Amino acid sequence: MLKRFFTTSLMKVSLRYGAIAGVMCIGLVLSLFYMGKHPFLVNPFLDFRVFVFSVLLFFSLKEVRDFYQDGILHFWQGMGGCILFLSASAAVSASGILVFGSLQPAFVSDYITQFTDQIRNLPDETVQRIGKDVIERNLLALPGTNIRNLASLYAWQTFQIGLFISIIISVILRRQPKPL
């Protein structure tokens, strides 16, 4: 039973596209880092994963629906494929970040420096809205940040970003069999 599940087209296609997305994310993280803007300090609304996940999730579910399931895709199958996709993407990209951060110690130190500067340059109204004690707590915890923290943060953000996209794409691509 379990072997049959792992050999399904939904599993294979979702994991393949998820691995592709993970590699693309690693490439984009490295590119942003070497361009001088730390990838972890990009506004979440401008995060490149939104575009990458939207395109690749759409094509992966469309491939499963059209080529392997005779044009039928239930919502639960779409969400299952999306979760597999996001899991593969998060695992590949977090692993790549761990390896890169281990080889390039400036990745973490630049993050700490740039984030500290960003927090210290917040406008007074933002500081009041967030709370001075919360900002101080974050500044005190910041020097303890390591590459494992950043990799797990990236994986967590991958699931957060991907969940909303998954629901939308699963609804758009679902097609149920016509009743007889």
Side-chain angles (χ1 to χ4, degrees):
M1 173 78 173
L2 197 57
K3 181 182 179 200
R4 187 170 160 221
F5 173 73
F6 286 115
T7 59
T8 62
S9 58
L10 181 66
M11 168 84 79
K12 289 178 184 177
V13 171
S14 297
L15 292 177
R16 181 178 67 229
Y17 276 88
I20 292 168
V23 170
M24 288 176 74
C25 287
I26 292 169
L28 291 168
V29 163
L30 296 179
S31 298
L32 278 175
F33 175 71
Y34 284 118
M35 284 190 272
K37 175 69 175 164
H38 203 282
F40 285 86
L41 300 177
V42 173
N43 187 338
F45 296 112
L46 302 174
D47 198 327
F48 53 83
R49 287 176 286 184
V50 173
F51 176 73
V52 169
F53 291 170
S54 299
V55 171
L56 291 178
L57 276 172
F58 178 81
F59 284 114
S60 70
L61 291 182
K62 188 165 174 38
E63 180 179 329
V64 169
R65 182 190 73 187
D66 294 344
F67 295 118
Y68 297 105
Q69 295 187 185
D70 300 322
I72 296 171
L73 184 74
H74 297 280
F75 176 75
W76 66 269
Q77 291 172 318
M79 284 303 293
C82 289
I83 289 172
L84 290 170
F85 173 95
L86 293 172
S87 298
S89 178
V92 169
S93 58
S95 299
I97 289 170
L98 280 171
V99 169
F100 177 70
S102 299
L103 298 173
Q104 179 64 273
F107 188 72
V108 177
S109 62
D110 284 359
Y111 169 76
I112 292 171
T113 304
Q114 289 180 20
F115 191 57
T116 304
D117 292 342
Q118 187 175 344
I119 287 179
R120 291 180 198 249
N121 293 327
L122 288 173
D124 290 335
E125 58 203 30
T126 306
V127 171
Q128 290 174 353
R129 188 170 23 112
I130 295 172
K132 192 164 180 81
D133 57 330
V134 173
I135 291 175
E136 291 300 323
R137 226 177 324 141
N138 285 333
L139 282 173
L140 289 174
L142 200 54
T145 302
N146 58 31
I147 192 61
R148 279 183 245 101
N149 297 124
L150 294 180
S152 63
L153 174 67
Y154 198 81
W156 175 245
Q157 288 175 342
T158 294
F159 281 104
Q160 287 179 326
I161 290 169
L163 180 65
F164 297 109
I165 296 168
S166 298
I167 293 169
I168 293 167
I169 291 179
S170 294
V171 168
I172 290 171
L173 290 178
R174 77 169 189 250
R175 241 192 249 157
Q176 300 191 0
K178 304 220 185 282
L180 298 172

